[in-house]
Amino acid sequence: MISPISVNLNPELYEDPLAFNPWRWQDESKKSTLLKNFMPFGGGLRLCVGAEFSRIQIALFLHTLVTKYRWKEIKGGEVQRISEIVFPKGYHIQIIPREESIN
């Protein structure tokens, strides 16, 4: 069984894999290797049939979350990176609706 997060965090494939670097895909000399190994929804014959739908759902959710709400941390948030990213003590937040500005 392949764990996509383990492949995506492999330092042999990605320089500093834990760093947020959306420009890593622009290096033309590494592009074919990176794209062959990046697997957010699986690939090949077993490509997730709902991959595109889930991308749209996630984009809509995140857009609504950041434009209509704000949040504050209550407790937790310590991150552990193993074969996946986990919050061993949980991550508790309070979501608060943003106040609409009156024009």
Side-chain angles (χ1 to χ4, degrees):
M1 182 173 105
I2 294 175
S3 171
I5 193 74
S6 296
V7 174
N8 295 340
L9 295 177
N10 184 343
E12 293 176 13
L13 297 172
Y14 304 102
E15 183 181 327
D16 199 7
L18 297 177
F20 176 72
N21 180 7
W23 298 275
R24 76 177 78 223
W25 311 104
Q26 291 181 338
D27 185 353
E28 291 295 326
S29 65
K30 295 180 181 177
K31 202 172 212 173
S32 65
T33 303
L34 293 178
L35 291 177
K36 287 178 189 172
N37 290 295
F38 182 65
M39 300 183 296
F41 294 104
L45 295 174
R46 300 187 188 277
L47 182 65
C48 176
V49 296
E52 200 58 39
F53 177 72
S54 64
R55 284 187 189 113
I56 292 169
Q57 289 294 101
I58 291 168
L60 288 171
F61 169 77
L62 290 174
H63 172 77
T64 302
L65 182 66
V66 299
T67 59
K68 305 278 185 192
Y69 298 90
R70 60 186 179 85
W71 59 89
K72 66 178 185 178
E73 292 182 10
I74 296 173
K75 68 176 182 176
E78 293 80 28
V79 177
Q80 209 175 44
R81 291 177 175 92
I82 45 180
S83 63
E84 56 194 33
I85 296 174
V86 295
F87 296 90
K89 296 180 183 175
Y91 187 50
H92 302 264
I93 60 173
Q94 179 181 10
I95 298 176
I96 306 157
R98 290 183 185 265
E99 293 183 21
E100 300 282 334
S101 61
I102 300 172
N103 295 330

